Amino acid sequence: MLFLPHQCPKFQRHLYQLSSTSKIHTKTLENTLEKKLKVLEEKYSCLVVEDSTLRPWDTTDRFKYDLNKTINAPNDGKFPATFSLALPPPNVTGSLHLGHSLTATLQDVLCRFMRLNGSSVCWLPGTDHAGIATQVVVEKYLAKKNITRYQLGYKRFNEEIWKWKAQNEGVIQQQLKSLGASLDWSKEVFTMDPDQSKAVKEAFVRLFDNGLIYRSNRLVNWSCSLNSSISDIEVDNIDVLNPMYISVPGYSKPVKFGEMYEIAYKVHDRSEEIVVATTRPETLLGDVAVAVHPEDKRYSSLVGSHLKHPFIDKTIPVISDESVEMTFGTGAVKITPAHDRNDYDIAERHRLEMMPVINEDGLIEQGYLHFSGMKRFDAREVILTELKQLELLRSVKPHKMVVPTCSRSGDIVELLPRPQWYVNCKEMYRDALEAIKTGELQLVPDTYDRIWTQWLDENKDWCISRQLWWGHRIPAYECYSIDNRDKSIWVAAFDEADAKVKSSKILNTSPSKILCTQDDDVLDTWFSSGIYPFSSHGWPKSRAQYKKLYPLSLMVTGHDITFFWVCRMIMLGTKLTGTLPFSKVLLHGIICDANGAKMSKSKGNVIEPQDVINGISLADLNSKARKSHANGIMSDDELTKTLSEQTKQFPEGIPQCGTDALRYTLCSQNVKNVYINFEVKECHSNKLFCNKIWQSLRFTQKFTDQLDVDALKSCRMENLSRVDMWLLSRLSTLVQSVYASLDNFDFHIATNSLKQFLYRELCDVYIECVKMDMKPVLNQEKMALHSHTLSACFNTSLRLLSPFMPFISEKLIPHIPVDHNCVVNYHDTIDNLSIGNKETLLSWKDVKLEKEFEVMLKIITTVRQIRSTYNVKKNNKSSIFIESSAEHSEVALCYRDLILFLGASEGLSVGSEKIDSTMWAYTADKSMKVYLTLSDSEDFQVNRSDAGRQMLLKKLDKVKKALAKLEKTTSSEGFGKKAPLHIQKSTKEKMFALREELKKLTENS
């Protein structure tokens, strides 16, 4: 038996909730609620539906995880009792971008889906202090006021950063809430909270005491404008194909790159010379040797001899080393170990000294004659001028090269020898590699397994110190005894007192005689982020939260930080907790614009999520960009590019799309791809999809309002029509598809299945079919069955849709007019979808019926194609003739009434005896041809054939031209190289569709 509105479990739940907080008579409540469930606004408005004041989860503890709650695993055993997840903490440098929105949306979809299936979910929010990024942004902001951090001093500068953090953390929180993220805000974490700082110290001290952290003087990536070392992820490489000028902070004019300079070294006490090729003549001052290949016969007689330095009163040796490429440049390489990794390795092998030339500020070091104190690139020009005067500059040639720049400051990155702290990663790399090989750790997609292996095989130690003012100060102390100040040691400790106790044992003296100085450097942000999965849950105190929620069930993040973050979480988690922090990692692609270009401020193509949700005019877009520039967040060059790109991409601004549409669009691309293209047009299309759902439910409400109680009560499953059973069969397919898709993280397949069911099958097909029963004399029994079918399908499909579109789903579900208990069991909230009768639902799958229905739909589609091709109006009385296989003919007769209704025709015949040349024909498929004839005057019947043929030929010509245009576009050399992949794909799809249409038109001409 199917339920009436006031009998359904959901209705009774609403009734209980209202009556428990009101003194209104229960009968009055029942009448009021029944009306409430049926009333739905005429127009869909995303801003109204997504109004922050109406979000149920913003005013309740609905998503709060209860540690003390007893958790029972879901019945089918496929879903975990507890699903633990942590949002990758966004930097407190500013607002969220689309990349953050993608990560948060994917995690939210999974969390909501787990709740639907009975899992208890803890999704932990947090923000990252982002050492370099935040310091740079705040310094730019202060620079607009002509203030530097040095003027403020350490304490006041940090106060400014904490103010910045407080302001932006609130913005980020609101953005996540507006995105619908179902986070447990009671557990929010900041990576510099007191508990986090304690965890960072604990991690450092443990690793140091185990001999895994050490101090060494090595080459590091150095940003002179930041006065700090930076990680590889903060280095952007610019490919210079031809000589070009690049703006460098601190220089009034751009600096030229992309040239190779050939410089002669004279052999000491001989008339010979050896010519070296270099792109960095300013480092000539620090040369300690010239290297050639042992087998290079050009220089074999010079190996072992010495060369006169052009400027400094010294000689340097000619050495042989197999690493030198004989075919590169002149085959002779100047060795400057203080500023080049290859040179450093050669110097290590040959025991050559290290002569630093450039200091931390980008100036020439002291001790280099009149060059000392010069800016490095100014010194380059002076050195080239003087080499030319000395007749030692042999040539200047264009040269392809890669110029490393600091992504934070835009500065040219230098390699400088500096004492830094390192983590010995050899053992941890081996464990991380083994986890992949054994399957204990799974990367999704598994294409990253090979890259993971290659990266870990390189086995480099990790530089974890940064020369910043913002971050976790390294808990390492240089200690010495007041009795022997010449001997100092480094210890890791929680504070100075702890350091004195530790060092006193090593130095064999009393703690009172120890003097300690803490290192001024701070830790690399990735270090505190690396322990985040367990530190955020209370480690190392072993609290109940840590024991219950660690390891995490899953990690979701962008593939671009696989090794900077994911790998380090694996390393530190395994080493410090004895277990992997998670067993599965979903690595999603990087958000690109509609043209396939990666979004970045330097390209001016960044789209902010809030602008897509709320809509924004071009003038306001420009205004926001100028405000960012005024606050120092955007450079002059970035502002110019942004204004230009905004005008190009959004001449009319960005239309209001809403959160549901944004979320759905982000999930509609294959997130496992390396790059994910985001198009505002698609987002707006998904807003129209929301409207389609809204209007279809309003139709269902009106449909049900016409029914009497007796008709609803008498409905039974066995009386459902073929159309009803077809839709329920498609519903069964939808459930299978969504579950399988999300299990494999194929979000795009799930969204496509939902759209296929709700948009095409329920709205475009089923609702059009049931209109046949809405005639002047109402068929109450059929309409009641249709109403229950619609209710069942909305109840299930909207719950499956709710993880993707939570706002509209939660708005519409209470307005479903009839509940179908055979499909859905209701729990405390609409978050819980338990297809407890899943076997019953799956039994509705009827493959034969679906095949029949496809034949029927193909007939209707073909009839409509004929009408469109020959411009036949719906009010023209027509008859349909079908020439097909016996099986298809049987289907046509079985669905005769429906075909005539949807085909706007009055007669249907199968067979070929009545077919003649005056009929309009169209091939439906290989085994079926559909004909249409009009029941009009004899004169029109005779002349119709020629007129129709002219229309057909006209359309044929139009399709041929369109296809030829696309073929010309795709055949050009530039299309395959320059056109974005999604454009190439969509163009091929259009060509395929045109060829299919051309084929049909040709067959029917």
Side-chain angles (χ1 to χ4, degrees), residues 807-826:
F807 294 98
I808 190 171
S809 299
E810 299 219 359
K811 173 68 175 178
L812 292 181
I813 288 173
H815 291 272
I816 299 172
V818 181
D819 283 315
H820 197 315
N821 199 45
C822 292
V823 182
V824 182
N825 291 335
Y826 297 93

Side-chain angles (χ1 to χ4, degrees), residues 22 97 143 154 188 232 259 289 312 428 450 500 513 544 597 654 698 714 829 907 910 912 925 928-929 983 991 996:
S22 173
H97 53 63
Y154 179 84
E188 188 175 10
D232 290 342
E259 290 185 328
I312 301 172
M428 289 185 279
R450 179 179 55 81
K500 287 183 177 182
K513 291 187 176 183
I654 297 176
R698 288 190 71 247
S714 63
T829 73
V910 296
S912 57
D925 59 28
M928 183 167 61
K929 200 165 187 176
I983 295 294
M991 289 172 64
E996 288 296 304

